[in-house]
Amino acid sequence: MSGGSYYVPSTSKWPILGSLALGLMMIGTGMVLVHDRGTPIMTLGLLAVLAVMGFWFRDVVKESRGGLYDAQMDRSFRQGMGWFIFSEVMFFAAFFGALFYIRTFALPWLDGEGAKGVAALLWPEFTASWPLMSPPDTAVAGPRDTFSPWQLPLVNTLILVASSITLTVAHEGLKEGHRDTTRNWLFATLLLAISFITIQGVEYYEAYVHYGITLEAGIYGATFFLLTGFHGAHVIIGATILAVMLVRVLRGHFSSDNHFGFEAACWYWHFVDVVWIGLFLFVYVF
Amino acid sequence: MAPKLPPHHPVEQSTSATAGGQASAHHAPPRGILRWLLTTNHKEIGSLYLIFSLIMFFIGGIFALVVRAELFQPGLQLVNPEFFNQMTTMHGLIMVFAAVMPAFTGLANWMIPLQIGAPDMALPRLNNFSFWLLPVAFLLLLSTLLMPGGGPNFGWTFYAPLSTTYAPPSTTFFILSLHIAGISSILGAINIVATIINMRAPGMRMMDMPLFVWTWLITAFLLIAVMPVLAGVITMMLMDINFGTHFFNAAGGGDPVLFQHLFWFFGHPEVYIMILPAFGIVSAIIPTFARKRLFGYASMVYATASIAILSFLVWAHHMFVVGLPLAAELFFMYTTMIIAVPTGVKVFNWITTLFRGSITFEPPMLFALAFVVLFTIGGFSGLMLAIAPADFQYHDTYFVVAHFHYVLVPGAVFAIMAGVYYWLPKWTGHYPNVKLAQWHFWLSVIGVNLTFFPMHFAGLAGMPRRIPDYALQFADFNLVSSLGAFMFGASQLVFVAVVILCVRGGEKAPAKAWEGAEDLEWSVPSPAPLHTFETPPTFQRHEH
Ligand code: HEM
Ligand SMILES: [Cu+2]
């Protein structure tokens, strides 16, 4: 930077439009949930949010490729992304915390265990178990059956772990300047991501149709869909980011020493992967 | 708080652009309303935050006065109980999320770049986004009051199942608006951390940073850590309400107490989010007007950090009476008491800074001194509440209301006002009117104590909180509280007058507006030009 001065980005219309779009989407969602109408507003809001994100990132990419950003800006982006992922970790931590609390405290207490056992007076017949097949109140129908972790969930685990490896190979390729390696392995990662999502879709179908695991099926179904659902949403977001990266690689973006966009996508993908390991262990296996 | 904005200098803008590239060189910054909608300037965004916060402070204040008017006498006179509940709830939500938090973020935006010698925040566009999410969020929240069934009526802590099974239909909108506010806080906090870690003037080490910067760094960390937990718990509420899950319903194997654990895991760090930056402001003001270095700089930093870490381990002190196992009661009782140690270190340091100083009592100092005394009262009542067996008696009474209003009103809010009086000369180039500021101060101090001190007695005598009617023996305490509340509310109009007058004119302030002030912000002109530190300043270290 000449004269050691700082780079300060120019004004942009995307932030304000983004907040309006988000507001529209939330109002639409609320209307759909509460009043059963407002789907157009919700859809419009969602599309507007996506559009704003697209344009905003496009501007950033343009500026970055125009050489406008200095090393300091790069560090700011890195830290921003790092702390954002930390906030996501805490979001999942809340859900894992809920799962552990239910399993170790709430259900045994409802069954009359320990000093808090008075809760057992509510439903004397109730016996705690995990997965919880018969919820305390008979009005709540529990699941009929549960998954074996060693079928689809194991396959999905292997897929995600593999995808982390292929992505790392792609990243190494970029660092070495082998664009073809990057393209091929990134493409493989994307395929793995899509198969994960597909398998998860199949699993949800089986959960609802064959196993009776639903959102309403007591706390097991609720925690199951909460954790896998938000994880799945993050996989979809991550896969979208990877797809964008693939397009950018095809267009010749990124150089071997300047590719933070790509690296950020890798960080995010590894984060999604690690969350899945936690899910596999505590939602499926144990 | 609205600073008088210096004219935009396109010349300065283009110097910065040639340094970085051509993007901004071609078009002059937008004018009129667009300038405010699009701004990426930390000073303008800081002002937006502060103005927003002031407006919300009055809206939340009006809700509080509705509550106090109803409680003026025993019996039901002005509002029906349903509306009363909406008023207590909205008062709490607005004050916490829309008044106190944005005020501190506004101060952070204005002052952190100036105090660390940075040209702006690290991620300026994200900064604009964080701000403009707030009006969207809180318009949506306020609009719930007009929806069928009324707005949120379950208290600012929105315990399930009051907020799920028995909640008004508008609760879904409440949840969504809180999501927007949460996104705003997280992004704002990420920006602040990146700014502080990354944008300090060359030569400024972490342990050279002013305490306002330190306390905000730690606050931002807390925000990034716990706002997502709040997002998680309200998402679970949303699902219980709309998708038939049983997270907080024992019939399906869930547990309403789970809600409280998750909420307070967010909620207790949240109260420190509202007080740590206040500590930073007071730690700037007291040395300035005592004309001494802050006593124990390093211990202040370590105390702040330990408060932050401990704040993750005390949440269940809000839940002593839900029926925790004995081991948990003891654990949370002791950890809570331990927090009083670093807090005590801070109070000790402030008092020691004052000791043998040459003290003058300018308006910021008045508020800072009142802070030290009155916040400490709140700290002591906190210690009383921390004793689990005693809390069985105090819980859900007006004693708790007295406690947290002492830490939040003459605590957080006074510190914000102290900060505004302290930095107004830097923002506007004028000193605030001293006579009016003194009126504001004394009316506020008397008003605050009249309002909240009697609540201790009412609470100890057993008056429950969040009830629109009360037994006759509490009548006198409540009468005094209500009078004090109206006095406090009215005296804030004086504050607005001081701010507006100060923006319009007044005694001119030099760059270093206060004789004893040391930090970097006093090296730039008053009013601070729109762009400062476009080339990094040289930082002069002085030993703390
Ligand atoms: C020495 C430090 C402190 C201690 C030991 C302490 C202790 C406590 C305890 C035990 C309670 C629960 C009382 C009950 O519900 O029965 C409580 C409530 C509360 N405290 Fe503190 N506190 C301290 C400092 C603070 C600070 C600095 C703030 C905020 C700036 C704060 C804000 C609150 C709030 C908002 C509540 C009530 C929440 C509600 O139920 O609506 N406290 N405090
Ligand atoms: Cu607390």
Side-chain angles (χ1 to χ4, degrees):
Chain A
M1 304 256 50
S2 56
S5 70
Y6 291 119
Y7 172 68
V8 180
S10 58
T11 56
S12 159
K13 55 182 172 301
W14 306 124
I16 177 81
L17 291 177
S19 54
L20 292 176
L22 191 67
L24 196 67
M25 185 177 103
M26 291 301 193
I27 292 172
T29 313
M31 286 175 67
V32 170
L33 291 175
V34 181
H35 306 294
D36 248 337
R37 63 191 151 86
T39 320
I41 300 184
M42 183 175 78
T43 322
L44 192 70
L46 179 68
L47 292 177
V49 169
L50 293 176
V52 167
M53 285 176 75
F55 285 121
W56 190 339
F57 281 118
R58 188 201 56 179
D59 280 2
V60 172
V61 169
K62 251 194 224 155
E63 287 170 12
S64 163
R65 290 177 48 75
L68 289 194
Y69 295 162
D70 52 7
Q72 191 170 45
M73 202 65 204
D74 186 62
R75 282 201 303 275
S76 294
F77 281 141
R78 280 167 193 278
Q79 288 183 1
M81 189 66 194
W83 287 105
F84 173 69
I85 290 181
F86 174 60
S87 80
E88 293 265 45
V89 169
M90 291 306 293
F91 183 67
F92 279 99
F95 295 158
F96 275 107
L99 177 72
F100 295 146
Y101 180 82
I102 293 287
R103 290 180 56 172
T104 26
F105 298 114
L107 289 179
W109 287 344
L110 272 176
D111 193 7
E113 186 197 290
K116 291 297 315 318
V118 282
L121 294 176
L122 285 169
W123 290 280
E125 252 74 289
F126 174 70
T127 7
S129 67
W130 194 262
L132 182 64
M133 304 308 278
S134 21
D137 197 308
T138 41
V140 184
R144 289 189 291 280
D145 202 353
T146 53
F147 299 110
S148 156
W150 309 116
Q151 293 165 10
L152 289 187
L154 178 67
V155 174
N156 257 350
T157 309
L158 295 177
I159 288 179
L160 268 198
V161 172
S163 77
S164 255
I165 297 171
T166 52
L167 187 59
T168 307
V169 177
H171 187 197
E172 290 302 317
L174 194 57
K175 280 197 253 180
E176 303 286 316
H178 304 309
R179 195 163 286 279
D180 288 351
T181 320
T182 307
R183 184 197 59 208
N184 297 342
W185 288 89
L186 186 56
F187 187 67
T189 314
L190 199 57
L191 285 186
L192 289 170
I194 292 169
S195 20
F196 176 92
I197 297 165
T198 317
I199 294 182
Q200 197 71 352
V202 173
E203 197 187 62
Y204 273 23
Y205 171 79
E206 295 207 331
Y208 259 80
V209 176
H210 297 138
Y211 295 95
I213 305 175
T214 66
L215 281 167
E216 294 91 358
I219 196 66
Y220 178 71
T223 49
F224 175 81
F225 283 108
L226 182 74
L227 279 152
T228 57
F230 274 99
H231 176 264
H234 282 75
V235 175
I236 293 176
I237 297 170
T240 315
I241 300 176
L242 289 180
V244 173
M245 292 306 138
L246 186 60
V247 173
R248 290 188 62 190
V249 168
L250 291 176
R251 288 202 186 160
H253 290 196
F254 305 127
S255 64
S256 53
D257 51 357
N258 184 5
H259 52 259
F260 179 63
F262 189 93
E263 220 175 309
C266 295
W267 291 359
Y268 194 80
W269 191 255
H270 293 315
F271 149 72
V272 171
D273 200 11
V274 170
V275 172
W276 174 262
I277 304 290
L279 278 181
F280 181 62
L281 290 178
F282 297 112
V283 174
Y284 293 99
V285 179
F286 296 109
Chain B
M1 284 188 246
K4 181 170 210 162
L5 283 156
H8 226 299
H9 295 301
V11 196
E12 270 186 76
Q13 180 80 5
S14 53
T15 20
S16 79
T18 37
Q22 305 76 25
S24 52
H26 297 315
H27 37 80
R31 311 218 150 264
I33 181 87
L34 265 191
R35 168 176 174 188
W36 294 98
L37 292 180
L38 304 186
T39 178
T40 45
N41 180 288
H42 73 102
K43 303 187 183 78
E44 293 181 341
I45 294 177
S47 304
L48 286 172
Y49 266 110
L50 289 168
I51 295 164
F52 175 80
S53 148
L54 188 61
I55 294 170
M56 287 296 161
F57 181 59
F58 275 92
I59 294 179
I62 289 168
F63 294 165
L65 292 183
V66 172
V67 170
R68 279 320 322 170
E70 173 61 48
L71 293 174
F72 186 69
Q73 286 179 356
L76 297 176
Q77 33 270 347
L78 292 176
V79 294
N80 63 34
E82 287 75 29
F83 189 68
F84 180 92
N85 287 344
Q86 294 173 39
M87 287 293 102
T88 53
T89 306
M90 280 296 206
H91 162 68
L93 290 170
I94 294 285
M95 286 305 193
V96 168
F97 293 104
V100 172
M101 288 170 68
F104 281 128
T105 316
L107 293 172
N109 261 289
W110 251 104
M111 301 319 300
I112 288 177
L114 287 182
Q115 290 198 320
I116 63 174
D120 207 302
M121 298 291 282
L123 304 161
R125 289 180 195 150
L126 198 65
N127 203 15
N128 172 296
F129 187 49
S130 306
F131 171 74
W132 283 107
L133 286 173
L134 286 181
V136 174
F138 290 100
L139 279 175
L140 184 56
L141 180 62
L142 287 172
S143 75
T144 59
L145 284 174
L146 308 172
M147 292 182 185
N153 56 8
F154 26 67
W156 84 276
T157 53
F158 46 98
Y159 280 8
L162 271 184
S163 61
T164 52
T165 317
Y166 305 104
S170 65
T171 307
T172 298
F173 287 98
F174 151 77
I175 292 172
L176 295 173
S177 72
L178 213 53
H179 267 307
I180 305 180
I183 296 173
S184 160
S185 292
I186 293 174
L187 297 181
I190 289 177
N191 212 338
I192 288 171
V193 177
T195 307
I196 296 174
I197 300 208
N198 200 14
M199 310 275 286
R200 292 192 309 280
M204 184 187 272
R205 298 168 310 186
M206 297 286 274
M207 288 310 267
D208 295 327
M209 299 190 314
L211 267 169
F212 181 63
V213 179
W214 255 117
T215 50
W216 242 115
L217 178 65
I218 293 168
T219 303
F221 168 75
L222 288 179
L223 276 167
I224 303 173
V226 300
M227 291 309 284
V229 176
L230 174 70
V233 67
I234 60 180
T235 303
M236 291 159 80
M237 275 171 65
L238 188 83
M239 294 179 70
D240 269 11
I241 294 173
N242 294 296
F243 302 115
T245 54
H246 294 90
F247 291 113
F248 307 131
N249 184 347
D255 189 348
V257 177
L258 170 63
F259 174 89
Q260 296 187 25
H261 280 295
L262 289 171
F263 178 83
W264 286 116
F265 186 83
F266 148 79
H268 185 84
E270 167 69 20
V271 309
Y272 281 99
I273 286 164
M274 293 190 283
I275 205 68
L276 293 184
F279 291 164
I281 294 171
V282 170
S283 303
I285 293 176
I286 287 186
T288 298
F289 297 100
R291 290 166 183 78
K292 276 177 66 191
R293 289 273 150 70
L294 181 70
F295 182 85
Y297 171 88
S299 68
M300 283 299 214
V301 173
Y302 296 131
T304 312
S306 23
I307 290 177
I309 292 166
L310 283 171
S311 75
F312 288 105
L313 300 174
V314 299
W315 76 88
H317 64 216
H318 297 273
M319 306 167 52
F320 283 143
V321 303
V322 296
L324 302 174
L326 183 64
E329 302 261 340
L330 289 174
F331 175 82
F332 287 107
M333 173 164 111
Y334 291 128
T335 50
T336 305
M337 289 182 173
I338 290 172
I339 287 215
V341 176
T343 314
V345 167
K346 287 180 167 284
V347 175
F348 176 84
N349 284 347
W350 291 323
I351 293 173
T352 314
T353 308
L354 290 169
F355 182 65
R356 300 179 111 179
S358 34
I359 303 175
T360 48
F361 298 92
E362 282 85 346
M365 185 63 160
L366 290 176
F367 276 94
L369 291 176
F371 173 96
V372 175
V373 176
L374 299 177
F375 171 79
T376 307
I377 295 182
F380 280 133
S381 57
L383 273 175
M384 290 171 68
L385 291 164
I387 304 166
D391 185 65
F392 282 37
Q393 165 77 12
Y394 308 147
H395 180 69
D396 256 348
T397 69
Y398 261 84
F399 191 79
V400 179
V401 180
H403 157 66
F404 68 75
H405 281 92
Y406 263 88
V407 284
L408 284 171
V409 185
V413 173
F414 271 27
I416 292 166
M417 286 169 173
V420 169
Y421 281 124
Y422 186 57
W423 284 310
L424 262 177
K426 183 56 52 192
W427 302 338
T428 66
H430 308 123
Y431 286 104
N433 182 310
V434 175
K435 269 272 148 326
L436 276 180
Q438 284 170 342
W439 272 100
H440 171 227
F441 173 74
W442 287 108
L443 288 174
S444 295
V445 170
I446 297 169
V448 126
N449 284 293
L450 279 181
T451 313
F452 299 118
F453 210 74
M455 290 184 184
H456 290 113
F457 304 120
L460 290 178
M463 177 171 162
R465 60 191 285 211
R466 293 173 171 152
I467 309 270
D469 190 6
Y470 48 83
L472 286 182
Q473 70 266 30
F474 304 125
D476 293 348
F477 293 135
N478 278 282
L479 183 131
V480 177
S481 278
S482 290
L483 290 177
F486 277 89
M487 177 176 171
F488 181 79
S491 49
Q492 299 324 305
L493 296 172
V494 183
F495 177 63
V496 178
V498 180
V499 171
I500 293 178
L501 287 177
C502 186
V503 173
R504 294 269 195 83
E507 194 194 329
K508 289 248 173 305
K512 186 168 166 178
W514 312 107
E515 185 193 0
E518 297 288 352
D519 295 323
L520 264 184
E521 75 261 35
W522 306 109
S523 68
V524 302
S526 302
L530 196 59
H531 297 284
T532 37
F533 297 130
E534 289 193 298
T535 42
T538 39
F539 174 71
Q540 303 283 326
R541 176 165 304 125
H542 55 76
E543 287 315 312
H544 285 290

